Amino acid sequence: MGKFYYGGQAVIEGVMMRGQKKVAVAVRAPDGKIVVHQEPLTGALYTRSWGKWPFVRGLVVLWDALVLGTRALMWSADIAVKEDDDEASFSKPVAWGSIVLSLALATVIFFLLPSAMAKYMEGPIGLSHLTSAIVEGLIRLALFVGYLVAIGMMSDIRRVFAYHGAEHKTINAYEAGEPLIPEATAKYSTAHTRCGTTFLLDVLVISIILFAPLQFNSIVLRLLSRLVLVPVIASLAYEVIRFSTAHQDNRLMWWAVIKPGLMLQSLTTREPDPDMLEVGISALKPVLEADGVSAPAGREESTMMVLSRA
């Protein structure tokens, strides 16, 4: 099914990494220790071959971001503020409520609202259906960029963005065959071609193309068409990222597809400090070991506490 690409996301004072067999979350606790939670990926999405099929694997990535990402975020928040690690739980019923609420808000703000705004601009301004589709896409893109700029002004989010940079540096160093130590990973870029920020940008661009012929006069039909196509757009966006990464030496591919995503990542990443790089490395090592992959040699983190779920 092709090469497996390691990656993850930033959480509160930490990093989540996802492998083929395990997910691991490493967080810097208040006492300075790195606490690592790891658990196997046992669902059908991960254990069955169809989960790796083209256009299906994009939905797996979306599931990871919504479910694993939210759970990891909540667990990391617990660890970051508690001295007693045993009190933190990776699985909470409230996580599902947070996932549903987050998905609903994102759908309304970034998909339904731009469509409704473009629809109601057609009459007063006299927009054609094609122009309306472009305006809808531009509104969606403006809302997304504005959101990133706004949250980037918050000190706590800036630390999360620094851990995002640590995640990218760790993956870049691993893929370059560097030893997984802070000194080696520090020299690498905080940008990465397979970043979730790039994925979301691709989603926004692809949505302009797919929504263009679906400018129904009925606002209900127009909004329903957006909802139905969200999984399709996510699948296409992931395949675009895979294809562009494999052909990044092509100048057209680089400037038209890859470079805009890397530029947008300047809003969602910050330069991490060595302690943050240690956390990123601590999250990557367990998933590599679970997959039987030999990590490049580096010194071990002596202050790590590992919490596992069999």
Side-chain angles (χ1 to χ4, degrees), residues 152-199:
M153 296 179 181
M154 303 167 60
S155 59
D156 289 343
I157 298 300
R158 285 199 294 269
R159 284 193 63 81
V160 173
F161 286 172
Y163 276 105
H164 189 196
E167 179 232 330
H168 284 182
K169 281 177 175 280
T170 302
I171 294 297
N172 283 328
Y174 163 72
E175 292 179 344
E178 290 279 1
L180 291 182
I181 56 175
E183 295 83 358
T185 58
K187 65 184 180 181
Y188 284 87
S189 173
T190 58
H192 197 284
T193 57
R194 299 192 309 273
C195 175
T197 305
T198 299
F199 171 77

Side-chain angles (χ1 to χ4, degrees), residues 7-18 23-28 34-37 68-69 72-73 75-76 90 159-171 272 275-287:
Q9 70 175 62
V11 295
I12 306 299
E13 293 299 322
V15 173
M16 180 188 81
M17 292 288 189
R18 205 273 257 184
V23 60
V25 189
V27 174
R28 180 76 67 178
I34 299 176
V35 182
V36 181
H37 172 88
L68 290 181
L73 205 59
W75 180 81
S76 67
F90 194 73
R159 284 193 63 81
V160 173
F161 286 172
Y163 276 105
H164 189 196
E167 179 232 330
H168 284 182
K169 281 177 175 280
T170 302
I171 294 297
D275 286 347
M276 293 175 174
L277 293 173
E278 284 184 338
V279 174
I281 292 166
S282 298
L284 180 59
K285 282 184 176 181
V287 299

Side-chain angles (χ1 to χ4, degrees), residues 21-150:
K21 297 180 180 179
K22 277 188 177 182
V23 60
V25 189
V27 174
R28 180 76 67 178
D31 61 3
K33 292 182 180 179
I34 299 176
V35 182
V36 181
H37 172 88
Q38 52 182 300
E39 64 176 54
L41 298 170
T42 56
L45 284 175
Y46 306 108
T47 59
R48 300 300 178 87
S49 61
W50 52 262
K52 300 179 179 64
W53 292 352
F55 300 104
V56 175
R57 58 196 178 190
L59 298 178
V60 177
V61 171
L62 185 61
W63 176 266
D64 285 348
L66 292 174
V67 179
L68 290 181
T70 300
R71 290 168 61 205
L73 205 59
M74 297 181 68
W75 180 81
S76 67
D78 280 345
I79 294 296
V81 300
K82 291 180 179 178
E83 295 286 350
D84 186 354
D85 306 312
D86 293 333
E87 293 181 8
S89 172
F90 194 73
S91 299
K92 291 184 176 181
V94 72
W96 286 103
S98 299
I99 293 167
V100 172
L101 179 60
S102 299
L103 182 59
L105 287 174
T107 301
V108 170
I109 295 172
F110 297 113
F111 280 92
L112 301 188
L113 179 60
S115 183
M117 291 174 66
K119 168 63 178 175
Y120 286 109
M121 290 171 64
E122 289 179 5
I125 302 179
L127 298 179
S128 67
H129 283 337
L130 178 59
T131 306
S132 177
I134 296 173
V135 169
E136 177 185 342
L138 293 176
I139 292 173
R140 186 173 291 115
L141 182 59
L143 286 173
F144 179 59
V145 174
Y147 169 77
L148 294 181
V149 171

Side-chain angles (χ1 to χ4, degrees), residues 111 137-138 140-142 144-145 148 193-209 233-234 236-238 240-241 254-268:
F111 280 92
L138 293 176
R140 186 173 291 115
L141 182 59
F144 179 59
V145 174
L148 294 181
T193 57
R194 299 192 309 273
C195 175
T197 305
T198 299
F199 171 77
L200 292 175
L201 178 61
D202 289 346
V203 165
L204 298 179
V205 173
I206 292 171
S207 70
I208 297 175
I209 300 171
I233 293 170
L236 288 172
Y238 183 73
V240 167
I241 286 180
W254 176 263
W255 289 104
V257 181
I258 298 175
K259 187 64 175 179
L262 297 180
M263 293 173 63
L264 191 62
Q265 288 176 44
S266 65
L267 297 178
T268 64

